[in-house]
Structures are given as structure tokens and as C-alpha cells.
Amino acid sequence: MEAAHEKTKEKHKLNTAPKKKLSKILIESIIVLFTIAIFLVPFYFIMINSFKTSQEAAELSLAWPSEFQIVENFTTVFQAQNNMLVTAFMNSTIITVSSIVLLMVFASMAAFILQRRSGKMVSIIAAIFLAGLMIPPAVVPTIWVLESLHLFRTLPGIILVMTAISIPFSMILYMGFIATIPKDIDEAAIIDGCNSWTLFFKIIFPLLKPIHATVIILNAVQIFNDFVHPLYFFPGAENATVQLTLYNFMSVYSTSWNLLFANVLLITIPPFILFLIFSKKIVAGMTAGAVKG
Amino acid sequence: MLTKKSGVYSLTLLLPAAAIYGILFIYPTLMSFFFSFTRWNLTEWTWIGFDNFRMFFEERALMIGFRNTFIFAFVTAGLKVVIGLLLAVLLTSQLRTKDFVRSAVFFPTLVSTIAVGIAFSVLMHPSQGLINQTLALVGINGPDWLGNPSYALLSVALVDVWKGVGIATVIFIAGMMSIPKDYYEAIQIDGGNKMDAFKHITLPLSRPATNAVIILALIGGLRTFDLVWAMTGGGPGFSSDLIASIIYKQYQAGFYGLSTAGNVILFLLVAIVVFPLYRLITRKEVDL
């Protein structure tokens, strides 16, 4: 396919000398080599060392392992500290999925109202929501609020916090998309006897499918990879999340790099799968958010 | 009085999001202004006026964090703009492997910061690390990236750029794709070369993308915590501490009032740096 493409290009540019073509290939190879060296070697390094014995991994080299210890390394990592990683994967999944469900419903509802209505009050409310894109969350006061609601160190607590801090970005995405849905649809539905709630949930919400996908993917990566908020609002060994296990294992495994890297590899797999399936959507969502934000 | 029209869009639909966001984000943010003036243990507080803030700016260790936060944010933002722009030019050219290069550059943005931090603290090991061993091959004696107080902060900044430049790149690419092809044809007819095209077309018309990248990078840079924490813990000494890592350290030490004062300072810093910039930039865009 590439070759055919190249041929048509050649036909258009008959004056392209073979020398120029050669230098083009050379430049291109250099670019690819640099990309591999800078962006991919670190991942290869993690992977190959997670397959080694701890003595070999201690050399911190890119060399091929003389002996593969894959199954043993990964079972050790899973079983460490009373299956902490299993608990962590469960907790992270629960937090990620629940926050996303809340975000999809609540952020889209709010975005619909803020996009459709106008007036000073509405624009002030919208500004307060969007300010959340900039403002760093106030750490100790948030813990104080969570404690008074008896939600500190609980799954519902961290889920609600993750939802709160992710609302602004999700709302921007929803508002941008809802702006493209004609208001005639609303009017037709009202004539058919809908009120605000039935209009939104019966008519608008299903139309949001494409942007739901973007919201799900971007938030999944964000929330699954988050370290800071679970560190503050969901502390304690029994409350592990995947990013925290990594951090805890850093001290425990300071002599067994193979195990630490196995852990790194394991928690990188979920975002990697998302990347493989949805890379186009992720890029589109991130640029859309950026340009509007 | 609600008009018939706005009655269709009942504000009750706003309530759930407003409740969660209001109680767990806005209310704590507002209360942080109050608690930053207190000595506080979550149940009882004593008003101590500006003591926490005075402490923040008099204590050398805390002042370093304040300065570092500025350096970190501006260095990372600057590098992301320059490198992202160059990569985007490369990836909108006739490169045949651009899909591969773009994916490789973008992938690190999806990997957890802690994982990246751990990987690079190993790669940056002064003697055994892959980076210094590679440099040694070409005769360069690599520094102790994370152990030397004068380099630690910049090393972390470089890793932050490595991880985040993918977003900058795709934003620039999106901007460049929207530039009409005729402009480039016109400059070719006028006898301009590729450099002219870059200087007179690509660069000025990438202005909105540049603005987005700068603002995003500054907001992210000023708030950075996890990467520093995973790579240096703020050390050696306090040489790579940032405001966000100080907030965590003071929280751990039980100085909740001081920690909250750090939060307020960070809030004001973001507001002072980003908000005017945002206004300035959006005004300039209209002029274009």
C-alpha cells in the first residue's frame, strides 16, 4: 500500500532525483530511531526487566533475560501484602466506574441546562463550574467536609470527590456537543408533552452517545491513573488503589526491581488497551477540551 | 418570573451536579481561606492571623518551594510549546511514518505519572542508569540527575515534558490542520521557501493552539505534585520541593493550618498567573 502511494507521488514529481529520495529515507529513519529511543525504550526497559530474576534486574540493563521468570514475578506481585494488588484493582475499578456513571448523568444534565438557558445567573453558575478547571482542590478542608459527612476513608467519599473534580471538564465536553443539537428537537418534545426531565432523559441523553464515549474514555484514564486524590481522601492499607500500591511497593521492593516493574507493567495495561482501541477518540477529546478550555 | 421558554429548562436538572461540586469542591475552597488563618486539628481551631503566611515566606525551605513552582511551571510550559510545535510541524509534513511517531509521542500521556516517575528515577540513576550509560558511549559524563540539588528540579521538569508533550503536539496538529492549504500555495508562488511558510503562516496561525498549550501547561505545572513525589520526594534537601508537595508534607506533619495556607497560596498563584494570561490571550485572538 505504501509502495503504491509512493509510486503515484513519483509520477507527479518526475524531477525528484534518486539522491533526494535516498536522503529522505535517511532522515525518516533517523526520526523513527529517535522516536523509538526516546519514547519507547523506557517502556521496553520496564517490560523486559519485569521478566527477569531479581539479580539480573538489578543490573538495570536492556539486555535480554538469560532466564525468564514471568509467571513467578507476576504471581508474587499479586500475592504481596495479602493480595493488596487484587484489592487495589477492585477498588480502582469501583471508583472509576462509579464516578463515570455519576459524571455521565449529572454533568450532562447540568450542561444541558447551562447550554440552553441564558441570562446573567446562568453565566455566573457556568463560570463557577469552569473555574474548577484551574483551581487546585483545597486538601485539608475537603477532608474536613468528608469527615463531617462520615465519608472520609470510604469508597462513596472518594467516588464523590473524584466526581466533583471531574465535573468541570466533562461539562465542557457535554456543553460543546449539546450546542450542536438543534433546539427544535426540544420544542417538538415539549409539544408532545415532555417536561424538562423527560425531555432530557428520553430525547437528549440518548443523542449524546458520541460524546458519552469521549467522556468515559478520558475520565477512565484520568481517574484510574490518579494518585493524589486517593492519597489524601482514601488513605489506609485496606483502601489501596492501584497507583498507591505502586507507591507503597517502591519502598518494599527497593531491592527487587523485577517485581516493581511487574507492578508498573500491570497497571499500565488498562490504559494501554484503551489507547489501542480508542486512540483517535482520545486525541479528539483532548484537543476539543483544550481548545475550548 | 419564568418565561415559558426557560421553564422548559428547569434548574432542578442542575441540582445534583451543583450539590456534589458545591459541597466537595467550592465549599472546601471557600473554607480554605478561613482555615489558612488558623491553627487547626480538624475539630478545633484558633485564629492566628497571618502567622501561617508569614511562616511560609520566612521559612527558607518553604520559600524555595514557592520559587521552584514558578521555575517548574514556566520551564515545562516553554519546552512543551517549543518541542510540541516542532513535532507538530514534523507530523503534518509528508513523513510516511507519522502515524507511528504520533502514537509513540502521545502514549506517555496515558500512562500513570507514578509509573513514569519510577521508570525515570531508575533510568536517571547516576552510574547504572540507561541515560548516563548511553551518554558515556558518546563520551559525555552524565550528571547525577536526581541526586544533585542543582539538577533535581530540572530533571523532573524534563520528565514532565516527556510525559506531557504528546498533548501539546496533538493540539498543535489540530491547529495546523485547520490552516487552509491555499496560503502555503500562495507563499510558494511568491517565491518563499519552507522557512518563510513556517514563519509567516504556520507560526502566526497556530496562535490559538499555542495559547491553549501555554495555559494548560501552566495550570498543570503550577499544580504538579505526583511526579516530584515519585521521583525525588522534594529532595535532595528541599531542592525540588513544589508548593503542592509542601502542602502534602505539612498535612502529613499535622500542620493543617499551614498546609491550608499553602493551598490558598497555590490558588492565588494560579489565579494571578493564569487568569490575566487568559484574558490577554483571548483579547489578542480577536485582533487576529
Side-chain angles (χ1 to χ4, degrees):
Chain A
M1 220 167 66
E2 291 277 72
H5 184 63
E6 183 60 20
K7 253 183 206 163
T8 52
K9 227 193 254 170
E10 285 300 276
K11 266 183 208 161
H12 284 296
K13 288 187 180 176
L14 284 172
N15 57 346
T16 318
K19 241 186 197 168
K20 207 174 172 190
K21 202 181 148 194
L22 204 71
S23 73
K24 230 180 175 179
I25 292 178
L26 193 72
I27 291 174
E28 192 137 326
S29 328
I30 291 173
I31 290 169
V32 170
L33 273 178
F34 259 93
T35 311
I36 292 174
I38 294 173
F39 287 98
L40 298 184
V41 166
F43 294 109
Y44 175 76
F45 173 83
I46 296 286
M47 193 180 75
I48 205 72
N49 278 294
S50 72
F51 297 160
K52 292 179 183 173
T53 61
S54 65
Q55 294 94 312
E56 264 190 9
E59 290 164 20
L60 303 178
S61 78
L62 285 175
W64 196 251
S66 64
E67 180 194 342
F68 278 91
Q69 216 186 67
I70 302 177
V71 179
E72 199 191 318
N73 285 352
F74 283 86
T75 33
T76 314
V77 168
F78 267 115
Q79 285 167 353
Q81 302 184 346
N82 297 325
N83 301 328
M84 189 171 166
L85 194 58
V86 181
T87 319
F89 261 105
M90 266 163 45
N91 282 340
S92 285
T93 311
I94 294 171
I95 294 168
T96 308
V97 172
S98 319
S99 318
I100 288 177
V101 170
L102 293 181
L103 278 170
M104 279 171 66
V105 180
F106 296 160
S108 64
M109 279 160 65
F112 177 61
I113 298 306
L114 292 181
Q115 204 284 320
R116 285 299 198 248
R117 284 177 71 125
S118 52
K120 196 150 198 178
M121 188 177 67
V122 169
S123 54
I124 290 173
I125 295 174
I128 293 174
F129 271 113
L130 299 190
L133 290 170
M134 277 194 245
I135 302 172
V139 176
V140 192
T142 309
I143 293 175
W144 172 73
V145 172
L146 284 172
E147 280 230 300
S148 64
L149 299 171
H150 304 288
L151 289 173
F152 185 47
R153 290 173 203 267
T154 66
L155 273 172
I158 183 75
I159 289 166
L160 288 172
V161 170
M162 294 313 292
T163 308
I165 58 173
S166 311
I167 280 176
F169 183 64
S170 310
M171 228 167 77
I172 281 200
L173 292 175
Y174 280 121
M175 281 171 78
F177 190 85
I178 290 170
T180 67
I181 300 176
K183 279 190 179 181
D184 308 352
I185 292 185
D186 306 0
E187 274 155 31
I190 297 299
I191 291 165
D192 286 349
C194 281
N195 63 30
S196 313
W197 286 74
T198 47
L199 159 67
F200 179 75
F201 281 103
K202 279 196 182 146
I203 315 288
I204 304 294
F205 194 78
L207 291 176
L208 300 177
K209 243 183 219 153
I211 199 71
H212 282 323
T214 311
V215 168
I216 292 173
I217 298 160
L218 290 182
N219 281 306
V221 173
Q222 204 74 43
I223 297 173
F224 188 82
N225 280 343
D226 189 34
F227 167 73
V228 182
H229 301 97
L231 177 74
Y232 279 126
F233 308 124
F234 196 53
E238 70 286 0
N239 288 339
T241 62
V242 283
Q243 306 303 327
L244 284 178
T245 60
L246 201 50
Y247 186 68
N248 291 340
F249 286 0
M250 242 165 97
S251 44
V252 182
Y253 287 161
S254 59
T255 47
S256 334
W257 291 109
N258 54 340
L259 299 181
L260 186 61
F261 292 151
N263 195 351
V264 170
L265 194 66
L266 278 174
I267 67 165
T268 309
I269 289 172
F272 183 65
I273 293 172
L274 280 179
F275 174 69
L276 285 183
I277 307 174
F278 299 110
S279 69
K280 283 241 166 68
K281 199 129 220 164
I282 293 174
V283 170
M286 281 195 171
T287 44
V291 174
K292 273 164 203 146
Chain B
M1 280 270 278
L2 288 175
T3 65
K4 216 177 173 191
K5 214 160 190 190
S6 59
V8 171
Y9 306 117
S10 160
L11 285 175
T12 51
L13 279 160
L14 253 176
L15 282 178
I20 295 177
Y21 181 73
I23 293 171
L24 289 173
F25 190 86
I26 294 297
Y27 180 57
T29 301
L30 294 177
M31 288 311 282
S32 71
F33 283 89
F34 169 74
F35 284 122
S36 63
F37 291 102
T38 66
R39 193 179 295 117
W40 181 38
N41 63 6
L42 287 183
T43 46
E44 282 170 32
W45 54 267
T46 8
W47 183 266
I48 54 168
F50 279 94
D51 277 8
N52 288 326
F53 292 96
R54 214 170 287 139
M55 179 109 128
F56 218 98
F57 289 103
E58 276 169 8
E59 191 106 359
R60 208 182 124 256
L62 303 184
M63 203 51 209
I64 293 176
F66 189 71
R67 193 202 58 186
N68 282 349
T69 306
F70 262 102
I71 298 176
F72 186 88
F74 283 93
V75 167
T76 52
L79 286 177
K80 281 175 190 170
V81 168
V82 175
I83 301 174
L85 191 64
L86 292 178
L87 281 170
V89 169
L90 193 73
L91 292 175
T92 45
S93 70
Q94 282 165 343
L95 204 67
R96 262 184 296 160
T97 43
K98 60 182 165 198
D99 283 349
F100 166 76
V101 176
R102 196 188 49 217
S103 303
V105 171
F106 187 73
F107 181 58
T109 58
L110 301 180
V111 178
S112 96
T113 313
I114 298 298
V116 168
I118 290 174
F120 271 90
S121 48
V122 174
L123 294 170
M124 285 178 162
H125 189 282
S127 56
Q128 275 186 295
L130 212 54
I131 295 178
N132 278 359
Q133 289 193 343
T134 313
L135 289 176
L137 288 182
V138 288
I140 299 171
N141 206 348
D144 185 354
W145 298 95
L146 300 171
N148 184 331
S150 2
Y151 295 132
L153 182 72
L154 291 178
S155 303
V156 178
L158 284 183
V159 176
D160 184 71
V161 173
W162 179 88
K163 187 184 183 315
V165 79
I167 295 182
T169 308
V170 297
I171 293 172
F172 277 122
I173 292 176
M176 287 176 195
M177 301 285 253
S178 66
I179 301 175
K181 293 269 178 301
D182 324 1
Y183 292 10
Y184 290 101
E185 279 164 23
I187 208 163
Q188 246 184 344
I189 290 164
D190 290 347
N193 59 23
K194 278 193 176 154
M195 199 58 214
D196 294 323
F198 176 73
K199 254 192 353 214
H200 299 296
I201 300 173
T202 313
L203 209 51
L205 291 180
S206 298
R207 198 47 200 274
T210 314
N211 297 337
V213 170
I214 291 176
I215 288 186
L216 278 182
L218 281 181
I219 294 174
L222 290 171
R223 293 166 51 166
T224 295
F225 166 62
D226 36 9
L227 192 61
V228 168
W229 202 245
M231 292 186 72
T232 65
F238 305 102
S239 59
S240 60
D241 252 334
L242 300 176
I243 294 180
S245 63
I246 291 172
I247 294 173
Y248 182 64
K249 281 183 182 173
Q250 302 304 336
Y251 159 70
Q252 261 190 326
F255 298 125
Y256 296 151
L258 190 59
S259 171
T260 307
N263 240 144
V264 169
I265 290 173
L266 186 58
F267 174 98
L268 295 175
L269 194 65
V270 174
I272 289 167
V273 172
V274 176
F275 194 65
L277 201 70
Y278 182 73
R279 292 297 288 268
L280 189 80
I281 280 168
T282 42
R283 202 177 313 145
K284 279 239 172 93
E285 255 171 51
V286 179
D287 289 345
L288 259 174

